[in-house]
Coordinates of all heavy atoms in Angstrom, one line a residue:
E1 N 40.0 -112.7 140.5 CA 39.6 -112.6 141.9 C 38.1 -112.4 142.0 O 37.5 -112.6 143.1 CB 40.3 -111.4 142.5 CG 41.8 -111.7 142.7 CD 42.6 -110.5 143.2 OE1 42.0 -109.5 143.4 OE2 43.8 -110.7 143.3
E2 N 37.4 -111.9 141.0 CA 36.0 -111.7 141.0 C 35.2 -112.7 140.1 O 34.0 -112.5 139.9 CB 35.7 -110.2 140.6 CG 36.2 -109.2 141.5 CD 36.0 -107.8 141.1 OE1 35.1 -107.6 140.3 OE2 36.6 -106.9 141.7
F3 N 35.9 -113.7 139.6 CA 35.3 -114.7 138.7 C 34.6 -115.7 139.6 O 35.2 -116.4 140.4 CB 36.4 -115.3 137.9 CG 35.9 -116.2 136.8 CD1 35.0 -115.8 135.8 CD2 36.5 -117.5 136.6 CE1 34.6 -116.7 134.8 CE2 36.0 -118.3 135.6 CZ 35.1 -117.9 134.7
I4 N 33.3 -115.8 139.5 CA 32.4 -116.6 140.4 C 32.9 -118.0 140.5 O 33.0 -118.5 141.6 CB 30.9 -116.5 140.0 CG1 30.4 -115.0 140.0 CG2 30.1 -117.4 140.8 CD1 30.5 -114.4 141.4
P5 N 33.2 -118.7 139.4 CA 33.6 -120.1 139.5 C 34.9 -120.3 140.3 O 35.1 -121.2 141.1 CB 33.8 -120.6 138.1 CG 32.9 -119.8 137.3 CD 32.9 -118.4 138.0
Y6 N 35.8 -119.3 140.2 CA 37.0 -119.3 141.0 C 36.7 -119.0 142.5 O 37.2 -119.7 143.4 CB 38.0 -118.2 140.4 CG 39.3 -118.2 141.1 CD1 40.3 -119.2 141.0 CD2 39.7 -117.1 142.0 CE1 41.5 -119.1 141.7 CE2 40.9 -117.0 142.6 CZ 41.8 -118.0 142.5 OH 43.0 -118.0 143.1
I7 N 35.9 -118.0 142.7 CA 35.6 -117.6 144.1 C 34.9 -118.8 144.8 O 35.2 -119.1 146.0 CB 34.6 -116.4 144.1 CG1 35.4 -115.2 143.7 CG2 34.0 -116.2 145.5 CD1 34.5 -114.0 143.4
E8 N 34.0 -119.5 144.1 CA 33.3 -120.6 144.7 C 34.1 -121.9 144.7 O 33.6 -122.9 145.2 CB 32.0 -120.9 143.9 CG 31.0 -119.7 144.0 CD 29.7 -119.9 143.2 OE1 29.7 -120.8 142.4 OE2 28.8 -119.1 143.4
G9 N 35.3 -121.9 144.2 CA 36.1 -123.1 144.3 C 35.8 -124.2 143.2 O 36.3 -125.3 143.3
R10 N 35.0 -123.8 142.2 CA 34.7 -124.7 141.1 C 35.9 -124.9 140.2 O 36.0 -125.9 139.5 CB 33.5 -124.3 140.4 CG 32.2 -124.5 141.2 CD 30.9 -124.1 140.4 NE 30.8 -122.7 140.4 CZ 30.1 -122.0 139.5 NH1 29.7 -122.6 138.4 NH2 30.0 -120.7 139.6
I11 N 36.7 -123.9 140.1 CA 38.0 -124.0 139.3 C 39.1 -123.4 140.2 O 38.9 -122.6 141.1 CB 37.9 -123.3 138.0 CG1 37.8 -121.8 138.2 CG2 36.9 -123.8 137.1 CD1 38.1 -120.9 136.9
D12 N 40.3 -123.9 139.9 CA 41.6 -123.3 140.3 C 42.4 -123.0 139.1 O 42.3 -123.8 138.1 CB 42.3 -124.2 141.3 CG 41.6 -124.3 142.6 OD1 41.3 -123.3 143.2 OD2 41.4 -125.5 143.1
L13 N 43.3 -122.0 139.1 CA 44.1 -121.8 137.9 C 45.4 -121.2 138.3 O 45.6 -120.6 139.3 CB 43.4 -121.0 136.9 CG 43.0 -119.6 137.2 CD1 43.9 -118.6 136.6 CD2 41.6 -119.4 136.7
I14 N 46.4 -121.4 137.4 CA 47.7 -120.8 137.5 C 48.1 -120.4 136.1 O 47.8 -121.1 135.1 CB 48.7 -121.7 138.2 CG1 50.0 -121.0 138.5 CG2 48.9 -123.0 137.4 CD1 50.9 -121.7 139.5
H15 N 48.9 -119.3 136.0 CA 49.3 -118.8 134.7 C 50.8 -118.6 134.8 O 51.4 -118.2 135.8 CB 48.6 -117.4 134.5 CG 49.2 -116.6 133.4 ND1 49.7 -115.4 133.6 CD2 49.3 -116.8 132.1 CE1 50.1 -114.8 132.5 NE2 49.8 -115.7 131.6
I16 N 51.5 -118.9 133.7 CA 52.9 -118.6 133.6 C 53.2 -118.1 132.2 O 52.6 -118.6 131.2 CB 53.8 -119.9 133.9 CG1 55.3 -119.6 133.8 CG2 53.5 -121.0 132.9 CD1 56.2 -120.7 134.3
E17 N 54.1 -117.1 132.1 CA 54.5 -116.6 130.8 C 55.9 -116.1 130.8 O 56.3 -115.6 131.9 CB 53.5 -115.5 130.3 CG 53.6 -114.2 130.9 CD 52.8 -113.1 130.2 OE1 53.1 -112.8 129.0 OE2 51.9 -112.6 130.9
G18 N 56.5 -116.2 129.7 CA 57.9 -115.6 129.6 C 58.7 -116.3 128.5 O 58.2 -117.1 127.7
T19 N 59.9 -115.9 128.4 CA 60.8 -116.5 127.5 C 61.4 -117.8 128.0 O 61.6 -117.9 129.2 CB 62.0 -115.5 127.1 OG1 62.6 -115.1 128.3 CG2 61.4 -114.3 126.3
A20 N 61.6 -118.7 127.1 CA 62.1 -120.0 127.6 C 63.0 -120.6 126.5 O 63.0 -120.2 125.3 CB 60.9 -120.9 127.9
T21 N 63.6 -121.7 126.9 CA 64.4 -122.5 125.9 C 63.6 -123.8 125.8 O 63.3 -124.5 126.7 CB 65.8 -122.8 126.4 OG1 66.5 -121.5 126.6 CG2 66.6 -123.6 125.4
E22 N 63.4 -124.2 124.5 CA 62.6 -125.4 124.2 C 63.6 -126.4 123.5 O 64.3 -126.0 122.6 CB 61.5 -125.0 123.2 CG 60.6 -126.2 122.8 CD 59.5 -125.7 121.9 OE1 59.8 -125.1 120.8 OE2 58.3 -126.0 122.2
N23 N 63.5 -127.6 124.0 CA 64.4 -128.7 123.4 C 65.9 -128.3 123.5 O 66.6 -128.5 122.5 CB 64.0 -129.1 122.0 CG 62.6 -129.7 122.0 OD1 62.3 -130.5 122.9 ND2 61.8 -129.4 121.0
V24 N 66.3 -127.7 124.5 CA 67.7 -127.3 124.8 C 68.2 -126.2 123.9 O 69.1 -125.5 124.3 CB 68.6 -128.5 124.7 CG1 70.0 -128.2 125.0 CG2 68.1 -129.7 125.5
S25 N 67.6 -125.9 122.7 CA 68.3 -124.9 121.9 C 67.4 -123.9 121.3 O 67.8 -122.8 121.0 CB 68.9 -125.7 120.7 OG 67.9 -126.4 119.9
E26 N 66.1 -124.1 121.2 CA 65.2 -123.1 120.5 C 64.6 -122.1 121.5 O 64.1 -122.5 122.5 CB 64.1 -123.8 119.8 CG 63.3 -122.9 118.9 CD 62.3 -123.6 118.0 OE1 62.3 -124.8 117.9 OE2 61.6 -122.9 117.2
R27 N 64.8 -120.8 121.2 CA 64.3 -119.8 122.1 C 62.8 -119.5 121.7 O 62.5 -119.3 120.5 CB 65.1 -118.5 121.9 CG 66.5 -118.7 122.3 CD 66.7 -118.9 123.8 NE 66.3 -117.7 124.5 CZ 65.9 -117.7 125.7 NH1 65.7 -118.8 126.4 NH2 65.5 -116.5 126.3
V28 N 61.9 -119.5 122.7 CA 60.5 -119.2 122.4 C 59.9 -118.3 123.4 O 60.5 -118.1 124.5 CB 59.7 -120.6 122.4 CG1 60.2 -121.5 121.3 CG2 59.8 -121.2 123.8
Y29 N 58.7 -117.8 123.1 CA 57.9 -117.0 124.0 C 56.7 -117.9 124.3 O 56.0 -118.4 123.4 CB 57.4 -115.7 123.5 CG 56.8 -114.9 124.6 CD1 57.6 -114.1 125.4 CD2 55.5 -114.9 124.8 CE1 57.1 -113.3 126.5 CE2 54.9 -114.1 125.9 CZ 55.7 -113.4 126.7 OH 55.2 -112.7 127.7
F30 N 56.5 -118.2 125.6 CA 55.5 -119.2 126.0 C 54.6 -118.6 127.0 O 55.0 -118.0 128.0 CB 56.2 -120.5 126.6 CG 55.3 -121.7 126.6 CD1 55.2 -122.5 125.5 CD2 54.7 -122.0 127.8 CE1 54.4 -123.6 125.5 CE2 53.9 -123.2 127.8 CZ 53.7 -124.0 126.7
D31 N 53.3 -118.8 126.8 CA 52.3 -118.3 127.7 C 51.3 -119.4 127.9 O 50.8 -120.0 127.0 CB 51.6 -117.1 127.0 CG 50.7 -116.3 127.9 OD1 50.5 -116.7 129.1 OD2 50.3 -115.2 127.5
C32 N 51.0 -119.8 129.2 CA 50.0 -120.9 129.4 C 49.2 -120.7 130.7 O 49.7 -120.0 131.6 CB 50.7 -122.2 129.4 SG 51.6 -122.6 130.8
Y33 N 48.1 -121.3 130.7 CA 47.2 -121.4 131.8 C 46.9 -122.8 132.1 O 46.6 -123.6 131.2 CB 45.9 -120.6 131.5 CG 45.9 -119.1 131.5 CD1 46.5 -118.5 130.4 CD2 45.4 -118.4 132.5 CE1 46.6 -117.1 130.3 CE2 45.5 -117.0 132.5 CZ 46.1 -116.4 131.4 OH 46.1 -115.0 131.3
L34 N 46.9 -123.2 133.3 CA 46.5 -124.5 133.7 C 45.3 -124.3 134.6 O 45.4 -123.6 135.7 CB 47.5 -125.3 134.5 CG 47.1 -126.7 134.9 CD1 46.8 -127.6 133.7 CD2 48.2 -127.4 135.8
I35 N 44.1 -124.8 134.2 CA 42.9 -124.6 134.9 C 42.4 -126.0 135.4 O 42.2 -126.9 134.7 CB 41.8 -124.0 134.0 CG1 42.3 -122.7 133.4 CG2 40.5 -123.8 134.8 CD1 41.5 -122.1 132.3
K36 N 42.2 -126.1 136.7 CA 41.6 -127.3 137.3 C 40.1 -127.2 137.4 O 39.6 -126.3 138.0 CB 42.2 -127.6 138.7 CG 41.6 -128.8 139.3 CD 42.6 -129.7 140.0 CE 41.9 -131.0 140.3 NZ 41.9 -131.3 141.7
D37 N 39.4 -128.1 136.8 CA 38.0 -128.2 136.8 C 37.6 -129.1 138.0 O 37.7 -130.3 137.9 CB 37.5 -128.7 135.5 CG 36.0 -129.0 135.5 OD1 35.3 -128.9 136.6 OD2 35.5 -129.4 134.5
N38 N 37.3 -128.5 139.2 CA 37.1 -129.2 140.4 C 35.7 -130.0 140.3 O 35.5 -130.9 141.1 CB 37.1 -128.3 141.6 CG 38.5 -127.8 141.8 OD1 39.5 -128.5 141.7 ND2 38.6 -126.5 142.2
I39 N 34.8 -129.6 139.5 CA 33.5 -130.3 139.3 C 33.7 -131.6 138.7 O 33.2 -132.6 139.1 CB 32.6 -129.4 138.4 CG1 32.4 -128.0 139.0 CG2 31.2 -130.2 138.3 CD1 31.5 -127.9 140.3

């Protein structure tokens, strides 16, 4: 919220984390960020 590139709209981002099932059977812990570089 105080990160200048985010405030100025130069980037957007979303974060997701948690437990998940991978390839139908494998249990994993997954954490990811997707950052859009608007420049």
